[in-house]
Amino acid sequence: TRTPVSVTVTGAAGQIGYALLFRIASGQLLGADVPVKLRLLEIPQAVKAAEGTAMELDDCAFPLLSGIDIFDDATKAFEGANVALLVGARPRTKGMERGDLLEANGGIFGPQGKAINAGAADDIKVLVVGNPANTNALIAQQSAPDVPAERFTAMTRLDHNRALAQLSKKAGVTVSDIKKMTIWGNHSATQYPDIFHAEIGGKSAAEVVGDQNWLENDFIPTVAKRGAAIIEARGASSAASAASAAIDHVHTWVNGTAEGDWTSMAVVSDGSYGVPEGLISSFPVTTENGEWKIVQGLEIDEFSRGRIDATVNELAEERDAVRKLGLI
Ligand code: NAX
Protein backbone atom coordinates (compact mmCIF):
# COMPACT_ATOMS: atom_id res chain seq x y z
CA THR A 1 0.00 0.00 0.00
CA ARG A 2 1.09 3.59 -0.65
CA THR A 3 2.38 5.86 2.10
CA PRO A 4 -0.31 8.41 2.91
CA VAL A 5 0.15 11.93 1.60
CA SER A 6 0.09 14.54 4.38
CA VAL A 7 -2.29 17.40 3.66
CA THR A 8 -2.29 20.41 5.99
CA VAL A 9 -5.42 22.57 5.94
CA THR A 10 -5.54 25.88 7.81
CA GLY A 11 -8.83 27.46 8.82
CA ALA A 12 -10.16 23.93 9.05
CA ALA A 13 -13.15 24.92 11.20
CA GLY A 14 -14.31 27.61 8.78
CA GLN A 15 -16.98 27.28 6.13
CA ILE A 16 -14.62 26.49 3.24
CA GLY A 17 -12.87 23.99 5.51
CA TYR A 18 -16.17 22.26 6.15
CA ALA A 19 -16.82 21.90 2.42
CA LEU A 20 -13.23 20.95 1.62
CA LEU A 21 -12.14 18.34 4.14
CA PHE A 22 -14.69 15.70 3.17
CA ARG A 23 -13.71 15.92 -0.46
CA ILE A 24 -10.00 15.59 0.36
CA ALA A 25 -10.71 12.60 2.57
CA SER A 26 -12.82 10.94 -0.11
CA GLY A 27 -9.93 11.01 -2.59
CA GLN A 28 -10.98 13.87 -4.83
CA LEU A 29 -7.91 16.01 -4.16
CA LEU A 30 -5.18 13.56 -5.12
CA GLY A 31 -6.88 10.55 -6.63
CA ALA A 32 -9.01 7.56 -5.73
CA ASP A 33 -5.95 5.42 -4.98
CA VAL A 34 -4.03 7.88 -2.77
CA PRO A 35 -4.42 7.59 1.02
CA VAL A 36 -4.29 10.89 2.88
CA LYS A 37 -3.46 12.06 6.38
CA LEU A 38 -5.09 15.33 7.41
CA ARG A 39 -3.30 17.89 9.56
CA LEU A 40 -5.70 20.63 10.59
CA LEU A 41 -4.55 24.03 11.83
CA GLU A 42 -6.87 26.38 13.69
CA ILE A 43 -6.61 29.20 16.17
CA PRO A 44 -7.08 27.98 19.77
CA GLN A 45 -10.69 29.24 20.02
CA ALA A 46 -11.70 27.17 16.99
CA VAL A 47 -9.90 23.93 17.84
CA LYS A 48 -13.03 22.48 19.43
CA ALA A 49 -15.05 23.13 16.28
CA ALA A 50 -12.28 21.50 14.22
CA GLU A 51 -12.53 18.49 16.53
CA GLY A 52 -16.23 18.33 15.74
CA THR A 53 -15.49 18.26 12.02
CA ALA A 54 -12.89 15.56 12.65
CA MET A 55 -15.56 13.49 14.44
CA GLU A 56 -17.74 13.73 11.35
CA LEU A 57 -14.80 12.79 9.12
CA ASP A 58 -14.33 9.68 11.28
CA ASP A 59 -18.01 8.93 10.90
CA CYS A 60 -17.73 8.89 7.11
CA ALA A 61 -15.37 5.90 7.38
CA PHE A 62 -13.48 7.07 4.29
CA PRO A 63 -11.27 4.17 3.18
CA LEU A 64 -8.51 6.58 2.07
CA LEU A 65 -8.34 8.63 5.28
CA SER A 66 -5.51 7.28 7.37
CA GLY A 67 -5.51 9.84 10.20
CA ILE A 68 -6.46 13.32 11.40
CA ASP A 69 -4.36 15.51 13.67
CA ILE A 70 -5.42 18.92 14.93
CA PHE A 71 -3.03 21.72 15.88
CA ASP A 72 -3.07 25.31 17.04
CA ASP A 73 0.64 25.63 16.32
CA ALA A 74 1.79 26.26 12.74
CA THR A 75 5.23 24.67 13.15
CA LYS A 76 3.66 21.36 14.14
CA ALA A 77 0.84 21.55 11.62
CA PHE A 78 3.17 21.83 8.61
CA GLU A 79 5.62 19.16 9.77
CA GLY A 80 6.04 16.68 6.94
CA ALA A 81 3.28 18.29 4.87
CA ASN A 82 3.24 17.34 1.18
CA VAL A 83 0.32 19.61 0.33
CA ALA A 84 -0.71 22.74 2.26
CA LEU A 85 -4.03 24.49 1.74
CA LEU A 86 -3.86 27.89 3.42
CA VAL A 87 -7.51 28.78 3.85
CA GLY A 88 -7.62 30.55 7.21
CA ALA A 89 -7.09 34.30 6.98
CA ARG A 90 -8.03 37.52 8.68
CA PRO A 91 -11.13 38.96 6.99
CA ARG A 92 -11.60 42.67 6.50
CA THR A 93 -13.81 44.04 9.24
CA LYS A 94 -15.57 47.40 9.50
CA GLY A 95 -13.26 50.38 9.56
CA MET A 96 -10.22 48.33 8.56
CA GLU A 97 -7.90 50.03 6.07
CA ARG A 98 -6.08 48.01 3.43
CA GLY A 99 -2.81 48.45 5.33
CA ASP A 100 -4.38 46.99 8.50
CA LEU A 101 -5.69 44.05 6.51
CA LEU A 102 -2.32 43.34 4.91
CA GLU A 103 -0.58 43.65 8.26
CA ALA A 104 -3.00 41.32 10.06
CA ASN A 105 -2.56 38.74 7.32
CA GLY A 106 1.20 39.21 7.35
CA GLY A 107 0.98 38.09 10.98
CA ILE A 108 -0.57 34.83 9.78
CA PHE A 109 1.17 34.09 6.47
CA GLY A 110 4.68 35.12 7.55
CA PRO A 111 4.83 32.60 10.41
CA GLN A 112 3.11 29.94 8.29
CA GLY A 113 5.70 30.43 5.54
CA LYS A 114 8.47 30.05 8.13
CA ALA A 115 6.84 26.89 9.47
CA ILE A 116 6.64 25.46 5.94
CA ASN A 117 10.28 26.37 5.43
CA ALA A 118 11.25 24.65 8.66
CA GLY A 119 9.38 21.41 8.47
CA ALA A 120 7.35 20.66 5.34
CA ALA A 121 8.27 17.73 3.11
CA ASP A 122 10.69 18.35 0.22
CA ASP A 123 7.90 18.04 -2.31
CA ILE A 124 5.60 20.55 -0.54
CA LYS A 125 2.97 22.24 -2.74
CA VAL A 126 1.19 25.26 -1.29
CA LEU A 127 -2.16 26.72 -2.34
CA VAL A 128 -3.23 29.97 -0.70
CA VAL A 129 -7.00 30.51 -0.64
CA GLY A 130 -7.29 33.03 2.21
CA ASN A 131 -7.61 36.62 1.02
CA PRO A 132 -5.91 38.73 -0.17
CA ALA A 133 -4.74 35.44 -1.64
CA ASN A 134 -2.01 36.55 -4.07
CA THR A 135 -0.28 38.80 -1.58
CA ASN A 136 -0.70 36.34 1.29
CA ALA A 137 0.99 33.78 -0.94
CA LEU A 138 3.80 36.25 -1.66
CA ILE A 139 4.33 36.81 2.07
CA ALA A 140 4.42 33.06 2.77
CA GLN A 141 6.75 32.45 -0.17
CA GLN A 142 9.14 35.21 0.89
CA SER A 143 9.17 33.74 4.41
CA ALA A 144 10.27 30.35 3.08
CA PRO A 145 13.62 30.99 1.38
CA ASP A 146 14.60 27.31 1.26
CA VAL A 147 11.47 26.22 -0.58
CA PRO A 148 11.50 26.69 -4.37
CA ALA A 149 9.32 29.73 -5.12
CA GLU A 150 7.27 27.82 -7.68
CA ARG A 151 5.75 25.71 -4.89
CA PHE A 152 3.72 28.68 -3.68
CA THR A 153 0.52 29.38 -5.59
CA ALA A 154 -2.69 31.30 -4.99
CA MET A 155 -6.19 30.42 -6.08
CA THR A 156 -7.88 31.95 -9.11
CA ARG A 157 -9.50 28.66 -10.11
CA LEU A 158 -12.83 29.77 -8.66
CA ASP A 159 -12.74 32.81 -10.94
CA HIS A 160 -11.75 30.51 -13.82
CA ASN A 161 -14.68 28.19 -13.10
CA ARG A 162 -17.05 31.15 -12.77
CA ALA A 163 -15.87 32.40 -16.17
CA LEU A 164 -16.47 28.95 -17.71
CA ALA A 165 -19.99 28.91 -16.28
CA GLN A 166 -20.89 32.38 -17.58
CA LEU A 167 -19.44 31.75 -21.03
CA SER A 168 -21.15 28.37 -21.34
CA LYS A 169 -24.54 29.96 -20.63
CA LYS A 170 -23.96 32.76 -23.13
CA ALA A 171 -22.75 30.43 -25.89
CA GLY A 172 -25.28 27.70 -25.15
CA VAL A 173 -22.61 25.04 -24.73
CA THR A 174 -21.45 22.92 -21.81
CA VAL A 175 -18.40 23.90 -19.78
CA SER A 176 -16.55 20.89 -21.16
CA ASP A 177 -16.91 22.34 -24.68
CA ILE A 178 -14.77 25.31 -23.58
CA LYS A 179 -10.97 25.15 -23.50
CA LYS A 180 -8.19 27.61 -22.68
CA MET A 181 -10.00 29.99 -20.36
CA THR A 182 -7.64 32.41 -18.63
CA ILE A 183 -7.83 34.55 -15.50
CA TRP A 184 -5.03 37.12 -15.41
CA GLY A 185 -3.70 38.98 -12.38
CA ASN A 186 -5.12 39.39 -8.91
CA HIS A 187 -7.94 37.45 -7.25
CA SER A 188 -9.85 40.68 -6.74
CA ALA A 189 -12.31 42.87 -8.60
CA THR A 190 -9.52 43.92 -10.98
CA GLN A 191 -8.94 40.37 -12.26
CA TYR A 192 -9.18 39.92 -16.02
CA PRO A 193 -11.12 36.91 -17.32
CA ASP A 194 -9.87 36.57 -20.91
CA ILE A 195 -11.95 34.81 -23.56
CA PHE A 196 -9.85 35.97 -26.52
CA HIS A 197 -7.69 32.88 -26.19
CA ALA A 198 -10.51 30.61 -25.07
CA GLU A 199 -11.93 28.14 -27.58
CA ILE A 200 -15.37 26.68 -28.09
CA GLY A 201 -15.31 23.60 -30.27
CA GLY A 202 -11.90 24.69 -31.56
CA LYS A 203 -13.05 28.22 -32.56
CA SER A 204 -12.20 31.47 -30.80
CA ALA A 205 -14.71 31.96 -27.99
CA ALA A 206 -14.70 35.73 -28.48
CA GLU A 207 -15.66 35.21 -32.14
CA VAL A 208 -18.30 32.60 -31.34
CA VAL A 209 -19.90 35.04 -28.89
CA GLY A 210 -19.21 38.10 -31.08
CA ASP A 211 -20.51 40.57 -28.53
CA GLN A 212 -17.93 43.03 -27.18
CA ASN A 213 -20.62 44.85 -25.22
CA TRP A 214 -21.54 41.64 -23.36
CA LEU A 215 -17.86 40.94 -22.78
CA GLU A 216 -17.10 44.34 -21.27
CA ASN A 217 -20.33 45.19 -19.50
CA ASP A 218 -21.69 41.81 -18.48
CA PHE A 219 -19.17 38.96 -18.56
CA ILE A 220 -16.14 40.62 -16.98
CA PRO A 221 -18.03 42.39 -14.14
CA THR A 222 -20.22 39.33 -13.46
CA VAL A 223 -17.16 37.10 -13.03
CA ALA A 224 -15.18 39.69 -11.07
CA LYS A 225 -18.06 40.54 -8.72
CA ARG A 226 -19.50 37.06 -8.37
CA GLY A 227 -18.27 36.75 -4.79
CA ALA A 228 -20.34 39.76 -3.75
CA ALA A 229 -23.39 38.44 -5.64
CA ILE A 230 -23.14 35.13 -3.77
CA ILE A 231 -23.00 36.95 -0.43
CA GLU A 232 -26.03 39.01 -1.45
CA ALA A 233 -28.02 35.91 -2.41
CA ARG A 234 -26.85 33.38 0.16
CA GLY A 235 -26.21 35.63 3.11
CA ALA A 236 -22.75 34.04 3.37
CA SER A 237 -19.68 33.98 1.17
CA SER A 238 -18.89 31.27 -1.38
CA ALA A 239 -17.83 28.12 0.41
CA ALA A 240 -18.65 24.93 -1.52
CA SER A 241 -17.62 26.49 -4.84
CA ALA A 242 -14.40 27.80 -3.29
CA ALA A 243 -13.65 24.36 -1.85
CA SER A 244 -14.40 22.78 -5.22
CA ALA A 245 -11.99 25.16 -6.93
CA ALA A 246 -9.28 24.36 -4.38
CA ILE A 247 -9.76 20.66 -5.13
CA ASP A 248 -9.54 21.40 -8.88
CA HIS A 249 -6.40 23.54 -8.45
CA VAL A 250 -4.40 20.92 -6.58
CA HIS A 251 -5.77 18.02 -8.62
CA THR A 252 -4.73 19.73 -11.85
CA TRP A 253 -1.31 20.69 -10.43
CA VAL A 254 -0.60 17.11 -9.38
CA ASN A 255 -2.26 15.23 -12.24
CA GLY A 256 -1.67 17.56 -15.19
CA THR A 257 -3.74 19.59 -17.64
CA ALA A 258 -5.35 17.86 -20.61
CA GLU A 259 -3.74 18.04 -24.05
CA GLY A 260 -5.01 21.16 -25.82
CA ASP A 261 -6.18 22.87 -22.66
CA TRP A 262 -4.77 24.92 -19.80
CA THR A 263 -5.89 26.28 -16.45
CA SER A 264 -5.50 29.46 -14.40
CA MET A 265 -3.22 29.58 -11.37
CA ALA A 266 -1.61 32.50 -9.58
CA VAL A 267 2.10 31.66 -9.68
CA VAL A 268 5.40 33.47 -9.25
CA SER A 269 6.01 35.56 -12.36
CA ASP A 270 9.18 35.07 -14.40
CA GLY A 271 8.44 38.32 -16.22
CA SER A 272 6.16 36.71 -18.82
CA TYR A 273 3.63 39.05 -20.45
CA GLY A 274 5.23 42.03 -18.77
CA VAL A 275 4.22 40.94 -15.27
CA PRO A 276 7.07 42.02 -12.96
CA GLU A 277 9.24 39.14 -11.84
CA GLY A 278 8.39 37.81 -8.39
CA LEU A 279 4.74 38.91 -8.22
CA ILE A 280 2.29 36.08 -7.62
CA SER A 281 -0.09 36.71 -10.49
CA SER A 282 -2.63 34.56 -12.30
CA PHE A 283 -1.57 33.22 -15.70
CA PRO A 284 -2.63 30.58 -18.17
CA VAL A 285 -0.61 27.54 -17.13
CA THR A 286 -0.16 23.95 -18.17
CA THR A 287 0.86 21.33 -15.65
CA GLU A 288 2.73 18.07 -16.03
CA ASN A 289 4.44 15.75 -13.52
CA GLY A 290 3.52 18.05 -10.63
CA GLU A 291 5.05 21.16 -12.23
CA TRP A 292 3.39 24.16 -13.83
CA LYS A 293 4.52 26.20 -16.82
CA ILE A 294 3.20 29.57 -17.95
CA VAL A 295 1.75 29.28 -21.47
CA GLN A 296 4.04 31.30 -23.74
CA GLY A 297 3.56 33.23 -26.94
CA LEU A 298 -0.05 34.37 -26.66
CA GLU A 299 -0.85 37.54 -28.55
CA ILE A 300 -2.18 40.23 -26.25
CA ASP A 301 -4.29 42.88 -27.97
CA GLU A 302 -4.74 46.42 -26.72
CA PHE A 303 -7.92 45.70 -24.78
CA SER A 304 -6.38 42.75 -22.94
CA ARG A 305 -3.14 44.67 -22.38
CA GLY A 306 -4.97 47.43 -20.52
CA ARG A 307 -6.88 44.97 -18.35
CA ILE A 308 -3.78 42.92 -17.51
CA ASP A 309 -1.78 46.03 -16.67
CA ALA A 310 -4.50 47.31 -14.32
CA THR A 311 -4.74 44.12 -12.28
CA VAL A 312 -0.95 43.64 -12.23
CA ASN A 313 -0.48 47.23 -11.05
CA GLU A 314 -2.76 46.46 -8.12
CA LEU A 315 -0.58 43.46 -7.24
CA ALA A 316 2.55 45.61 -7.42
CA GLU A 317 0.91 48.12 -5.07
CA GLU A 318 0.04 45.37 -2.60
CA ARG A 319 3.62 44.09 -2.79
CA ASP A 320 4.98 47.59 -2.16
CA ALA A 321 2.62 48.01 0.80
CA VAL A 322 3.70 44.76 2.49
CA ARG A 323 7.31 45.63 1.77
CA LYS A 324 6.84 48.97 3.54
CA LEU A 325 5.29 47.13 6.47
CA GLY A 326 8.40 44.94 6.65
CA LEU A 327 6.37 41.80 5.92
CA ILE A 328 8.56 40.73 3.01
P1 NAX B 1 -14.34 31.46 7.72
O1 NAX B 1 -14.26 32.73 8.49
O2 NAX B 1 -15.59 30.65 7.75
O3 NAX B 1 -13.17 30.51 8.20
C1 NAX B 1 -11.85 30.93 8.38
C2 NAX B 1 -11.24 30.06 9.44
O4 NAX B 1 -9.87 30.37 9.53
C3 NAX B 1 -11.85 30.27 10.84
O5 NAX B 1 -12.26 29.03 11.38
C4 NAX B 1 -10.69 30.88 11.62
O6 NAX B 1 -10.69 30.48 12.99
C5 NAX B 1 -9.50 30.30 10.88
N1 NAX B 1 -8.24 31.04 11.09
C6 NAX B 1 -8.06 32.37 11.24
N2 NAX B 1 -6.78 32.65 11.47
C7 NAX B 1 -6.12 31.48 11.42
C8 NAX B 1 -4.76 31.11 11.60
N3 NAX B 1 -3.84 32.03 11.87
N4 NAX B 1 -4.44 29.81 11.50
C9 NAX B 1 -5.37 28.88 11.25
N5 NAX B 1 -6.67 29.17 11.10
C10 NAX B 1 -7.04 30.45 11.18
O7 NAX B 1 -13.92 31.84 6.24
P2 NAX B 1 -14.15 31.00 4.90
O8 NAX B 1 -15.45 31.35 4.31
O9 NAX B 1 -13.83 29.58 5.15
O10 NAX B 1 -13.04 31.67 3.95
C11 NAX B 1 -11.67 31.52 4.19
C12 NAX B 1 -10.85 32.46 3.32
O11 NAX B 1 -11.02 32.17 1.95
C13 NAX B 1 -11.23 33.94 3.47
O12 NAX B 1 -10.03 34.68 3.57
C14 NAX B 1 -11.93 34.25 2.18
O13 NAX B 1 -11.83 35.61 1.85
C15 NAX B 1 -11.17 33.38 1.24
N6 NAX B 1 -11.78 33.10 -0.07
C16 NAX B 1 -10.97 33.02 -1.15
C17 NAX B 1 -11.43 32.70 -2.41
C18 NAX B 1 -10.52 32.59 -3.58
O14 NAX B 1 -11.03 32.40 -4.68
N7 NAX B 1 -9.19 32.72 -3.47
C19 NAX B 1 -12.88 32.50 -2.64
C20 NAX B 1 -13.64 32.17 -1.41
C21 NAX B 1 -13.22 32.88 -0.17
O15 NAX B 1 -13.85 34.15 -0.16
Side-chain angles (χ1 to χ4, degrees):
T1 54
R2 287 184 63 164
T3 337
V5 176
S6 279
V7 180
T8 299
V9 179
T10 77
Q15 54 152 2
I16 294 176
Y18 193 73
L20 181 60
L21 293 168
F22 297 85
R23 298 192 56 184
I24 299 173
S26 71
Q28 293 176 61
L29 186 77
L30 298 168
D33 56 347
V34 185
V36 290
K37 249 193 153 108
L38 284 171
R39 303 177 72 81
L40 312 184
L41 177 65
E42 259 297 349
I43 54 174
Q45 310 87 284
V47 162
K48 187 155 180 244
E51 285 169 356
T53 304
M55 288 162 68
E56 284 201 76
L57 284 161
D58 281 343
D59 295 349
C60 293
F62 287 120
L64 291 172
L65 182 57
S66 70
I68 312 171
D69 291 298
I70 302 174
F71 305 92
D72 62 8
D73 176 282
T75 308
K76 290 187 189 131
F78 291 109
E79 231 168 62
N82 305 105
V83 175
L85 304 175
L86 276 46
V87 179
R90 176 73 159 79
R92 190 189 287 257
T93 40
K94 254 205 178 116
M96 213 176 186
E97 299 293 330
R98 191 179 66 164
D100 303 332
L101 181 75
L102 293 171
E103 192 159 27
N105 280 293
I108 295 174
F109 289 86
Q112 290 184 0
K114 288 198 179 81
I116 288 167
N117 198 56
D122 286 345
D123 66 348
I124 180 71
K125 289 184 168 61
V126 183
L127 167 61
V128 176
V129 174
N131 279 321
N134 301 53
T135 297
N136 288 343
L138 179 69
I139 294 169
Q141 183 268 316
Q142 292 280 317
S143 306
D146 304 326
V147 179
E150 64 266 21
R151 307 293 185 75
F152 285 84
T153 65
M155 189 165 94
T156 51
R157 185 63 173 265
L158 179 55
D159 309 302
H160 178 100
N161 288 345
R162 286 166 170 168
L164 288 175
Q166 293 303 319
L167 178 58
S168 78
K169 282 191 210 299
K170 172 74 177 175
V173 299
T174 66
V175 287
S176 54
D177 294 325
I178 306 172
K179 310 282 179 233
K180 302 183 178 176
M181 178 61 75
T182 306
I183 304 294
W184 296 92
N186 200 1
H187 168 68
S188 75
T190 65
Q191 66 175 266
Y192 173 45
D194 171 7
I195 66 166
F196 289 103
H197 300 100
E199 293 173 1
I200 297 176
K203 294 192 200 105
S204 155
E207 276 168 36
V208 170
V209 170
D211 187 346
Q212 182 71 17
N213 181 46
W214 172 80
L215 172 70
E216 283 185 46
N217 300 314
D218 190 340
F219 174 73
I220 294 175
T222 298
V223 172
K225 295 180 191 158
R226 186 71 165 178
I230 299 285
I231 293 174
E232 175 68 25
R234 207 174 82 86
S237 58
S238 330
S241 55
S244 194
I247 295 277
D248 288 347
H249 177 114
V250 173
H251 190 274
T252 302
W253 190 356
V254 171
N255 293 295
T257 41
E259 188 64 38
D261 202 1
W262 62 59
T263 189
S264 303
M265 283 169 73
V267 298
V268 178
S269 176
D270 59 357
S272 294
Y273 301 102
V275 180
E277 223 178 304
L279 286 182
I280 297 195
S281 188
S282 188
F283 287 99
V285 304
T286 54
T287 55
E288 198 182 354
N289 300 322
E291 293 184 4
W292 54 259
K293 259 196 216 124
I294 296 172
V295 174
Q296 295 298 324
L298 299 179
E299 266 184 50
I300 307 295
D301 69 10
E302 209 177 309
F303 176 80
S304 294
R305 186 73 261 165
R307 296 282 174 153
I308 294 171
D309 288 349
T311 187
V312 167
N313 285 342
E314 183 183 54
L315 282 174
E317 280 170 27
E318 289 182 14
R319 176 201 55 201
D320 294 347
V322 296
R323 209 176 253 162
K324 245 189 220 140
L325 290 163
L327 299 171
I328 59 169

